[in-house]
Amino acid sequence: MSTDLPLWFDPSKCLIGGHWVAPAGGGTLPLYDPSTGARIGEIARGTADDIDAAVQAAETARHGPWARLSAAERGRILLRLGQLVTERVDDLARIEALDVGKPLKQARADAVALARYCEFYGGAADKLMGDTIPYLDGYTVYTLREPHGVTGHIVPWNYPMQIIGRSVGAALATGNTCVLKPAEDACLTALAFADMAKAAGLPDGVLNVVPGLGAEAGAALTSHPGIHHISFTGSVGTGVMVQQAAAQNVVPVTLELGGKSPQIVFDDADLEAALPFLVNAGVQNCGQTCSASSRILVHRSIHDQLLERMSARYAALRVGPAMDDLDVGPLISAKQQEIVSGYLNQGADLEIAGRAQLGDMPAGGYYVPPTLFSGVTADHALAQSEIFGPVQVVIPFDDEDQAVQIANGTDYGLVASVWTQNGARQMRLARRVRAGQIFINNYGAGGGVELPFGGMGKSGHGREKGFEALYGFTTLKTVAAFHG
Ligand code: NAD
């Protein structure tokens, strides 16, 4: 393992039932540094046997001391965990930067968000309440919010810490036990987090981590009959398979999938305020963000002016290795580099309105030039497909109706923003645009641990983040007591 990685655990092992164990098949997968393409170690290649052991450990744990902890005690463990994460933010950031290729400051922001999720859900644990329901004479009726049981968590590689924080944090706060299958390209911080959870006092078996391939460990988890709820974050294609597998066991699923999120800029927008959001939301994390804003819709009267100003920002972007901590790092893998390069080639008929220079990159790193295309029609492949790279398209519109039509004209509906000073228009568009989150005169709003998040259309269903997630990780029981 590379000495640059400040690891205090062995990533070639799984954490099952509170113990670090080698995967049953003895397999490992290679670990690459996206900034250089260099092989820097091995991770565990967990398979169906390890998933089975993890589900059994989680099943045992849900009937153990964990079941008897009060909500406040569960919350306290999460708060302690948040504290431990805060103390190790720099280590976690370094691990994530080397593993995922994101600039150090972005990796640090993810680690801070992970701590914040622990705080938020730690504080929320004892505030989830049922209802009392007025009913027939002689009855008292109330509802109980109970944990599902063993929850499966499948996480992608782009924001491992944030996605683990939001899904595992909410699942633990509500008393579930968890089996976490991190992405094969980015599992180190998942293992680090689970180890810290043990140190924070989480009972053995409450959080189990099995790294491995999607088709092996992931598929085994989603089809396992011992799982009672699945939280999946990833691509649409895999999400469909996950939902099909869960249907066989009649298990509820939260799907957090992709997006093609628009920012809609009207002619009365404060462009100075909008510009950093317009560009950053497209290139942050090298565009590998589900809520990346890959479409900029702009009123035709300010199209040229906006293009010119966005171009200048693209030209100023600095791209380089994660540890150089510039604006944009490499993509996650050679495969992702090939996919994004394919999309850039599909834009050969379009005008390149802005492009960052790559300069002198490490030869084996997975870099692509952040690129802004203009002259794009709303039905072009680059305006319809989730590219998952630092690529944005600018599309002009003539009026509000057309803006809404273009904004809603993809399969997705994850996030959107509206830039205008017109209050009535803000309110109208907040209703008319199809997306799980609408931002007015901003985008992304500080990460939004507190803000319910999730998709419409093929962006998925169910909500994570915020208090709302606690409803998704519980099931409702109605108690009707007759006392005369
Ligand atoms: P992916 O679907 O390939 O993989 C996601 C996870 O699913 C990984 O852990 C992978 O190992 C696992 N997996 C793969 N095949 C599986 C199978 N057959 N059964 C069970 N699990 C399987 O996605 P990705 O390429 O890692 O991530 C990128 C995608 O994730 C993008 O589409 C992006 O928009 C989406 N995403 C969405 C959100 C959100 O909150 N909406 C957040 C981040 C990423």
Side-chain angles (χ1 to χ4, degrees), residues 304-477:
D304 292 354
Q305 184 199 150
L306 184 83
L307 218 54
E308 195 177 312
R309 295 176 73 174
M310 285 185 75
S311 297
R313 285 191 166 259
Y314 262 79
L317 286 174
R318 298 158 311 151
V319 185
M323 297 316 265
D324 287 1
D325 204 13
L326 304 175
D327 304 312
V328 182
L331 294 163
I332 181 75
S333 61
K335 180 178 150 213
Q336 193 66 14
Q337 187 185 30
E338 195 184 318
I339 293 171
V340 176
S341 301
Y343 278 114
L344 290 174
N345 290 339
Q346 282 193 52
D349 56 329
L350 302 172
E351 183 192 330
I352 293 180
R355 179 163 264 182
Q357 297 306 311
L358 283 193
D360 222 5
M361 301 295 146
Y366 312 131
Y367 300 93
V368 291
T371 304
L372 177 71
F373 287 105
S374 62
V376 187
T377 54
D379 58 353
H380 193 284
L382 295 196
Q384 288 290 322
S385 309
E386 186 189 43
I387 298 171
F388 230 52
V391 181
Q392 290 182 297
V393 297
V394 178
I395 307 172
F397 65 83
D398 291 305
D399 57 33
E400 190 176 304
D401 284 344
Q402 193 188 18
V404 171
Q405 189 192 359
I406 298 171
N408 292 344
T410 73
D411 288 343
Y412 298 104
L414 195 55
V415 174
S417 82
V418 182
W419 294 89
T420 176
Q421 304 297 324
N422 179 329
R425 174 173 278 157
Q426 293 169 359
M427 296 301 112
R428 275 196 305 275
L429 266 77
R431 286 179 181 264
R432 293 182 72 192
V433 173
R434 183 178 76 152
Q437 284 189 334
I438 306 277
F439 293 100
I440 295 170
N441 291 332
N442 71 96
Y443 194 92
V449 168
E450 304 84 349
L451 312 182
F453 177 78
M456 297 183 180
K458 288 193 178 166
S459 290
H461 52 72
R463 293 291 176 268
E464 291 192 343
K465 300 189 175 189
F467 203 81
E468 189 69 26
L470 301 177
Y471 299 114
F473 280 105
T474 50
T475 182
L476 193 75
K477 182 183 278 176

Side-chain angles (χ1 to χ4, degrees), residues 23-389:
T28 57
L29 295 165
L31 183 65
Y32 297 100
D33 174 359
S35 297
T36 61
R39 188 172 171 157
I40 53 172
E42 281 96 45
I43 59 158
R45 180 176 181 166
T47 56
D49 288 340
D50 306 298
I51 290 292
D52 193 45
V55 173
Q56 283 184 34
E59 176 63 23
T60 304
R62 86 182 176 102
H63 300 292
W66 182 241
R68 291 183 293 280
L69 286 189
S70 69
E73 286 166 326
R74 288 198 304 269
R76 252 177 244 131
I77 292 175
L78 278 167
L79 291 171
R80 272 202 299 278
L81 178 52
Q83 187 56 39
L84 293 181
V85 170
T86 299
E87 286 164 16
R88 294 205 91 137
V89 156
D90 289 332
D91 283 344
L92 289 167
R94 200 174 165 79
I95 293 170
E96 198 80 308
L98 282 163
D99 197 13
V100 179
K102 54 178 74 191
L104 209 47
K105 55 180 158 307
Q106 288 177 21
R108 197 170 198 288
D110 289 358
V112 169
L114 174 60
R116 179 76 192 107
Y117 278 113
C118 294
E119 283 171 8
F120 182 85
Y121 287 118
D126 60 352
K127 294 164 191 73
L128 183 69
M129 296 175 197
D131 293 318
T132 51
I133 301 173
Y135 197 53
L136 305 175
D137 183 40
Y139 282 83
T140 297
V141 180
Y142 59 96
T143 58
L144 296 172
R145 290 231 157 244
E146 298 186 343
H148 290 291
V150 180
T151 53
H153 302 256
I154 299 185
V155 170
W157 41 260
N158 57 347
Y159 288 89
M161 286 193 274
Q162 296 216 31
I163 295 168
I164 290 166
R166 77 189 191 200
S167 81
V168 172
L172 294 178
T174 42
N176 297 280
T177 56
C178 307
V179 178
L180 166 60
K181 208 298 281 174
E184 48 272 47
D185 287 319
C187 70
L188 297 182
T189 49
L191 293 166
F193 177 71
D195 188 63
M196 287 186 219
K198 202 169 146 55
L202 197 70
D204 287 350
V206 172
L207 172 58
N208 307 274
V209 185
V210 180
L213 295 172
E216 295 178 356
L221 179 58
T222 51
S223 60
H224 198 291
I227 291 289
H228 305 113
H229 176 278
I230 295 169
S231 163
F232 172 80
T233 305
S235 60
V236 176
T238 311
V240 170
M241 286 195 279
V242 168
Q243 184 155 343
Q244 282 169 342
Q248 299 303 315
N249 294 320
V250 196
V251 162
V253 177
T254 301
L255 294 183
E256 299 278 9
L257 309 178
K260 194 69 190 170
S261 299
Q263 298 201 60
I264 309 170
V265 189
F266 285 91
D267 50 3
D268 63 345
D270 178 348
L271 285 191
E272 200 52 37
L275 273 162
F277 289 92
L278 296 178
V279 175
N280 291 350
V283 303
Q284 179 182 314
N285 206 36
C286 205
Q288 304 164 115
T289 305
C290 53
S291 53
S293 174
S294 47
R295 296 185 297 152
I296 307 298
L297 317 187
V298 58
H299 192 267
R300 200 176 294 279
S301 66
I302 57 165
H303 173 267
D304 292 354
Q305 184 199 150
L306 184 83
L307 218 54
E308 195 177 312
R309 295 176 73 174
M310 285 185 75
S311 297
R313 285 191 166 259
Y314 262 79
L317 286 174
R318 298 158 311 151
V319 185
M323 297 316 265
D324 287 1
D325 204 13
L326 304 175
D327 304 312
V328 182
L331 294 163
I332 181 75
S333 61
K335 180 178 150 213
Q336 193 66 14
Q337 187 185 30
E338 195 184 318
I339 293 171
V340 176
S341 301
Y343 278 114
L344 290 174
N345 290 339
Q346 282 193 52
D349 56 329
L350 302 172
E351 183 192 330
I352 293 180
R355 179 163 264 182
Q357 297 306 311
L358 283 193
D360 222 5
M361 301 295 146
Y366 312 131
Y367 300 93
V368 291
T371 304
L372 177 71
F373 287 105
S374 62
V376 187
T377 54
D379 58 353
H380 193 284
L382 295 196
Q384 288 290 322
S385 309
E386 186 189 43
I387 298 171
F388 230 52

